Structure formats: C-alpha cells, structure tokens
Amino acid sequence: MISESLLALASAGGASMVQAAGTDGWNAIRDRAARLMTRGSHESEESERRRLDRTAAALTDRPDGGTAGSHAAAWQAEFVVLLTRLEGAELHAAVAEIRALIDSVPLAPNDASAFFAGSAFHGPTAIQTGDNNHQENHFGHSR
C-alpha cells in the first residue's frame, strides 16, 4: 500500500508530465522522466522516451484538453508503480527526483492553481483565482 503523501506526489508528477508536454523544456523533462522510470536502464530508456513523446503528441493534437486527464492519470499510475517497487535509499532518491521533475516544469501562464500545489487545507477553506471575481464566504453556524 502506498502512503497518501506518495500518492499525492505521484499525482503531481502525472499532472506535471501533462503540463510539460509541448513546452520548450519538454525534451529535457522527457529525458529526465525516462531515466527515472527506467532506473538507468539505457535500453529501456529509449522506449520510455517514445511513450512520453506519444503522450506529448496526443496532448498537442487535442489542445482542448480532452485527453489531459487520462494522460495525467496514466502517468500518475506509472509513478505509483515505480514508488511501490522501491525501498530505502532508492525510494528516497526517486521521491527527490520526482519532486525535482515537478519543480522543473514551467508554470502555465496565468495558472494560479499551480501556486496551491502541495497545499493542505484543514477546515473551511475558500480560494479564488482570476480577475474581476466576487466571492462571499460564510463559515460556521449562522445565527
């Protein structure tokens, strides 16, 4: 069983792969992810690059985001599989590499949701992003 924190990391990793697809930094991010997923097996690394490129091609062909969720979920699952196979120092190294990979993905322009990545909210929470919005929140019991 995988911990909630590792599951959240895998989810962020999957979302980052989708966000990075088609950007100027894609090749570097793709290569880094391929090395991580194959744990240094040079023969498997090229195959992994091709799989990542298929993800990028599918996302660029459908800019409306119609497939983004399924690709993010697929790569989340890949990260989960990787993390559940590792223990000790190897697990710690993979966690650090996934975090570094996530940090290397450029933020989408005007994507305020990225500023909340990794946040944990306990109790009533209201978040608003964008321009010219109005939000009215009432927490607790009304009297």
Side-chain angles (χ1 to χ4, degrees), residues 28-132:
I29 292 165
R30 176 206 61 197
D31 291 348
R32 191 174 194 168
R35 271 191 306 280
L36 171 66
M37 299 305 283
T38 60
R39 307 298 298 146
S41 167
H42 296 294
E43 293 172 5
S44 301
E45 205 172 302
E46 187 55 38
S47 173
E48 198 68 18
R49 276 193 204 96
R50 285 192 297 273
R51 277 183 1 124
L52 285 156
D53 281 338
R54 283 192 299 273
T55 294
L59 292 167
T60 347
D61 291 345
R62 299 269 323 256
D64 62 351
T67 60
S70 63
H71 283 281
W75 285 105
Q76 173 186 348
E78 293 289 333
F79 284 121
V80 166
V81 168
L82 172 70
L83 294 170
T84 55
R85 287 190 331 224
L86 302 175
E87 294 179 342
E90 282 187 313
L91 176 60
H92 290 291
V95 165
E97 183 59 26
I98 293 170
R99 285 184 178 141
L101 182 76
I102 292 166
D103 289 343
S104 70
V105 175
L107 294 176
N110 300 320
D111 184 5
S113 65
F115 294 112
F116 299 105
S119 299
F121 301 99
H122 303 281
T125 305
I127 298 173
Q128 178 177 340
T129 63
D131 297 324
N132 302 317

Side-chain angles (χ1 to χ4, degrees), residues 7-22:
L7 185 58
L9 180 67
S11 178
S16 292
M17 297 313 298
V18 168
Q19 186 173 337

